[in-house]
Every structure is written in structure tokens, then in C-alpha cells.
Amino acid sequence: MIDIFLSKFGIAKLAYFNIGNRYYTASEKLLALNKEIDKKPELIGTFLGEIKDGKFSPSLPLLSIIAKDTNEKVIIKEIGENDFLYGKNLRPRHILKIEGTMKEGFLKIVVNEKNECLGMAKLKKITGNEASFRNIIDLGDYLRRERK
Amino acid sequence: MNNQFTQRYEELGWEFVEVHNKHCIRVNNLKTNARELIKRLEAKGMSIKKVPFLENGYYVRSKYSLGATPEYLLGLYGSQEVASQLPVKVLKPEGLVLDACAAPGGKTAQIAEKADAVIALESQSSRIPSLVNNLERLGVSNALVYQSDARSFEAKLKFRKILVDAPCSGNFVTDKGWFEKQSLSNFNSRQKLQKEILANVLTLLEEKGELVYSTCSLEPEENEMVLQWAIEKLGLKVVPIDCIGANGLTDVFGNKLDSQIKNAKRIWPDLVGTQGFFIAKMVRK
Ligand SMILES: C[S@@+](CC[C@H](N)C(=O)[O-])C[C@H]1O[C@@H](n2cnc3c(N)ncnc32)[C@H](O)[C@@H]1O
């Protein structure tokens, strides 16, 4: 399922493994260390995402990995950055540039002008030269999780 | 303020004063560097000053909450109190490191910058999410986290360095109602837990490995008296460290302790405007 997700961003190869429904990528060294401990790890290396309700839900580190190699991106302006990190959707005024496929329903990695990954959004509506996106996940999630 | 605890501090040679903890961050070199980050934060109107005795610590004055800026969410820094950056500096992480009491992971991430790999333990399931979240946000990729009690954790491994940032009774600087909540019996029950953790993790230390013991408590029962026990019962030696602070106490309420305990450092809060801290490095005799 993770492969299907990666293919949406044109990523063909990423070494990963799963423990139950959770996916990780880790060095050989960490894998060897884990074998010496008779316990299930809560984290090993980098968490990539999990299967939730039959769907793959990516982690924020996975989106950062993808951001380095994909051209399915939306680049947002500084004024959009705060709104997006508060969980808001992206409006045309937030957007600097859209790269890759222009089709409603497509997923895009959201980056700021420094090309730092802020999350992921879905292309909701195209009107003429402008587009708006639905926020799927953003870095503000780190704070929202802690408040739960 | 005058109560049984402040009177004890006085007997130990420190006169109680109210201390305001200064905000401090640790630059995360896994994702950025100090020059870049300072430029970004100053552009937002924050005022930033290097903490002279820390490698990556900076005092910050800001009108924004330091735990909610885009730079924080991007993992470019961690919000980490001045004194709490010292134990890992003293540890000098290298090779394989065990962080025996890890949540919420400020020190685990600090260790991860220097170590080949870090194994982090936390016994409380409710504290695992904050640990994992912090490591994820800070881009740590060389850590293994286990929910485990450090008093009974086993592994077919030996560690070059071990950090025991022990569960303790805390201190009055970061916990406003601290004096009302505390009792001497609490210090003693914490001491029992601290000794049990030390005894078990020592079995995992390489022959020439080093163990750093730290607490954010100012109470000798959880600090010097734990070291005295470790010297007598575990065959450990307390070695000199390069760290700010007053020497560990060797006369605690009339009890004479081993002179090596001087090598530990006791950070009374007014020294640099921090919470209280105690740090010691130990090796096998
Ligand atoms: C002082 S805090 C550690 C702070 C942490 N090192 C940091 O820098 O973010 C102590 C932690 O030890 C955990 N703890 C308590 N008893 C433990 C045990 N027996 N084994 C492992 N962890 C324990 C507590 O739940 C707490 O999260």
C-alpha cells in the first residue's frame, strides 16, 4: 500500500519494512541492534506511516523524504505558511507556484519558499489559473497530537 | 519563603531565592545550524544570546510561544532548559548509547546528534507518544525506543555510554506548587527507584564505559546519597567533569560522604537562572 502511495509522487524506490501495520525505514545497524533486544520497539529509525481503516496514512518524515524527489508539489508563500500550519486549507492567495499534474483530486506535497516540507494537500478546485487545496496533514499535527 | 525545605538548603549552604527560569532552545544540528537558525528567528523579532557554557544552547526572548513557531514544527530547534542541556554535554556521547529514562526525549535527541545509535527506554506508556513525537519532529533516525522499565531491561548488548536522567521529585523553579506537594518520604522512595535503575543499567555498561547520573532535584537523598551508595555497593567511582555548578556535597546534614562526590556538580538555580540540577559521571573502579 505504501508503494501505491509513493507512486503517486513518482517515487519508485524506498527501502522499508513493517511491524504490524506500521512502516519504518532504518539502518542495518539499528535492525541488528533490535535483534539483540527481546521487545517490540515503539520506534525504530524513521516512522513512515501506518495503515489506518484500510488506507495508508503517511507520516510527516515520509512526506519530507518524498519532497526531496517529487515534482508533485505546491509551493506556498510565507503568509500561507502560518494558516496551513494551523490546519487551514490553501487558498489562491497563499500559493506561489504549483508543480506537476494539474488535476482535481491529486495529492501535492506542500513546501515553503525554502523548499521545507510542511505537509500534504489535495487539489480541490481549479478556477482558471488559480487553485485551492484541502489540507490533509501539516506539521501543526505535532502540537495537536500532544493536546489530545 | 521559609519552610522545612528552604531550611534544609540553608543547612547545605544555599540561601533560598526565587528564580525565574530563562527560556532556552537547543539548535538541532540534524536539520540546521546556529547561524541559519539565529538569522531566521531574529528576522521574526526574537532576541537571541548564546549560552556561554553550552555548545548549542541559546537564550531566547520572544513574543511568540517557542513551542509553536514554524521553525519549532520543522524541528530546527528544541525548547530545552539550560541546565537540562548539561548532562549530555558531560556524557560526550559516542558509539552505542543507552538513555535509560528518556521521555519526553530532549536529551535523547541531543545524544542522537553525536552517537552512532541510541537506545531509549521509558517505562510509562502515556509518555511514549511525546518521546516518539519529539524524535520524529527533530529528524532523529538513529534511535530505537522501547517501553521498558530500566530496573529490569535486558539486552545482549553493552553500551559505551549510559545516561540515567532519573525520575526524581523535581524542584520549585519549574513546579510552582512544589513545596506544598513534597515530603521527605517522597525523596526516599525516589531514592529506592534511582538505585534500582542504576544497579540494573550498570550490567549493560562496557567495561571501560561511562555512566552519567542526573536529576532535576536539589535534595541530597536523590543525589549525593545515591552516589555514596553507588560507590559502596556498585563499585563505582565518581570522576571529575567539565561542568558549571558547585561541587557535590560531602557533608549532608552531619553525614560525611566519600570525598569523590565533590566531583559531581550541583547547580543551584540562581547560578545562571535555571531549574535545579545535579550531574555526576561514574566509571567502574
Ligand atoms: C526526568 S524524566 C526524563 C527526562 C528526559 N531525559 C528528557 O531529557 O526529556 C524521567 C523519566 O523517567 C521515566 N521513568 C520513571 N521510572 C522509570 C523506570 N523505572 N524505567 C524507565 N523510565 C522510568 C519517567 O516516566 C520520566 O519520563
Side-chain angles (χ1 to χ4, degrees):
Chain A
M1 225 177 267
I2 183 167
D3 290 322
I4 298 173
F5 180 78
L6 291 171
S7 70
K8 292 183 183 166
F9 296 95
I11 310 282
K13 227 174 144 63
L14 179 68
Y16 64 81
F17 59 91
N18 66 303
I19 301 178
N21 59 353
R22 295 170 72 82
Y23 288 76
Y24 300 88
T25 183
S27 65
E28 291 295 328
K29 169 147 189 129
L30 282 191
L31 292 169
L33 288 171
N34 183 46
K35 288 215 177 94
E36 304 300 320
I37 295 163
D38 198 13
K39 266 189 176 304
K40 184 170 152 241
E42 301 290 334
L43 172 71
I44 169 164
T46 303
F47 173 57
L48 298 177
E50 63 188 318
I51 310 284
K52 265 196 220 158
D53 306 323
K55 268 176 68 182
F56 179 72
S57 163
S59 74
L60 292 157
L62 175 61
L63 300 180
S64 285
I65 295 172
I66 295 173
K68 294 195 184 97
D69 283 324
T70 190
N71 64 351
E72 293 296 338
K73 276 198 249 194
V74 49
I75 301 149
I76 64 172
K77 299 179 194 161
E78 209 178 323
I79 52 153
E81 190 164 308
N82 278 331
D83 280 355
F84 186 68
L85 294 180
Y86 272 111
K88 297 202 178 132
N89 294 333
L90 292 174
R91 316 218 163 277
R93 68 186 167 87
H94 293 135
I95 295 164
L96 185 71
K97 199 169 153 205
I98 304 166
E99 293 179 355
T101 322
M102 279 299 277
K103 224 175 179 179
E104 285 172 13
F106 264 63
L107 291 171
K108 299 277 177 193
I109 301 291
V110 180
V111 298
N112 61 15
E113 292 179 55
K114 295 187 177 75
N115 201 26
E116 293 164 327
C117 177
L118 305 174
M120 181 171 75
K122 190 182 245 179
L123 218 172
K124 201 165 65 179
K125 198 157 187 243
I126 306 173
T127 345
N129 283 337
E130 294 190 326
S132 53
F133 291 80
R134 187 160 69 84
N135 180 324
I136 304 286
I137 182 173
D138 66 86
L139 293 176
D141 205 45
Y142 285 128
L143 299 179
R144 295 189 282 271
R145 281 180 218 170
E146 299 270 332
R147 284 190 203 119
K148 265 184 206 161
Chain B
M1 178 89 62
N2 185 4
N3 58 38
Q4 61 165 325
F5 303 106
T6 59
Q7 278 166 20
R8 276 164 46 103
Y9 299 151
E10 213 163 291
E11 272 183 59
L12 299 173
W14 184 67
E15 199 157 330
F16 175 83
V17 279
E18 288 286 356
V19 174
H20 295 286
N21 203 0
K22 293 192 202 159
H23 290 299
C24 184
I25 61 168
R26 186 183 64 80
V27 177
N28 178 22
N29 289 296
L30 296 174
K31 289 201 171 183
T32 185
N33 59 58
R35 203 165 40 87
E36 288 277 315
L37 181 66
I38 291 168
K39 204 163 71 187
R40 276 174 83 153
L41 297 181
E42 283 180 342
K44 299 200 151 159
M46 298 189 192
S47 124
I48 315 234
K49 204 169 136 230
K50 172 108 174 50
V51 181
F53 50 87
L54 291 177
E55 206 181 336
N56 297 304
Y58 291 80
Y59 292 117
V60 178
R61 286 225 305 258
S62 162
K63 58 179 193 257
Y64 309 104
S65 157
L66 286 174
T69 64
E71 288 75 15
Y72 174 84
L73 295 174
L74 284 161
L76 306 184
Y77 67 84
S79 177
Q80 195 176 342
E81 215 265 340
V82 179
S84 80
Q85 297 191 35
L86 289 165
V88 176
K89 180 186 176 213
V90 168
L91 183 69
K92 298 200 175 83
E94 56 169 335
L96 179 59
V97 179
L98 178 68
D99 185 357
C101 307
K107 297 183 193 74
T108 317
Q110 201 182 347
I111 292 169
E113 274 193 16
K114 299 268 167 75
D116 292 342
V118 51
I119 294 185
L121 311 181
E122 169 58 47
S123 62
Q124 304 293 316
S125 60
S126 61
R127 291 175 65 87
I128 296 277
S130 66
L131 170 59
V132 168
N133 267 349
N134 270 326
L135 298 182
E136 183 179 314
R137 184 178 55 79
L138 293 163
V140 171
S141 62
N142 57 347
L144 273 159
V145 174
Y146 298 94
Q147 186 193 340
S148 177
D149 189 322
R151 291 174 293 182
S152 52
F153 177 72
E154 290 175 4
K156 294 181 236 95
L157 293 166
K158 293 282 179 198
F159 295 84
R160 178 113 30 106
K161 305 263 176 159
I162 296 181
L163 175 66
V164 175
D165 187 36
C168 68
S169 64
N171 64 83
F172 66 87
V173 180
T174 41
D175 182 351
K176 287 304 160 213
W178 189 87
F179 288 120
E180 290 73 44
K181 276 189 260 178
Q182 288 305 323
S183 67
L184 298 184
S185 66
N186 187 29
F187 305 156
N188 290 323
S189 67
R190 292 287 163 164
Q191 183 190 79
K192 181 168 178 285
L193 172 62
Q194 291 151 352
K195 288 176 178 172
E196 287 169 0
I197 292 174
L198 278 177
N200 184 52
V201 301
L202 184 61
T203 64
L204 302 167
L205 186 67
E206 279 181 7
E207 205 40 47
K208 293 207 175 316
E210 295 179 334
L211 187 155
V212 167
Y213 176 78
S214 58
T215 71
C216 62
S217 160
L218 292 165
E219 312 311 316
E221 290 83 352
E222 302 179 78
N223 297 318
E224 284 89 348
M225 287 160 84
V226 172
L227 300 191
Q228 179 69 26
W229 172 86
I231 293 166
E232 287 171 6
K233 296 286 194 285
L234 301 179
L236 291 175
K237 188 166 86 180
V238 182
V239 296
I241 52 178
D242 173 18
C243 182
I244 59 158
N247 290 346
L249 302 165
T250 51
D251 182 343
V252 170
F253 311 126
N255 295 318
K256 297 276 181 256
L257 306 183
D258 196 304
S259 64
Q260 339 166 15
I261 293 175
K262 275 202 216 92
N263 290 331
K265 293 290 176 189
R266 177 173 263 279
I267 300 154
W268 293 106
D270 58 340
L271 179 66
V272 284
T274 62
Q275 59 171 316
F277 237 86
F278 183 85
I279 305 173
K281 183 182 264 189
M282 294 186 272
V283 298
R284 287 196 178 86
K285 263 182 214 148

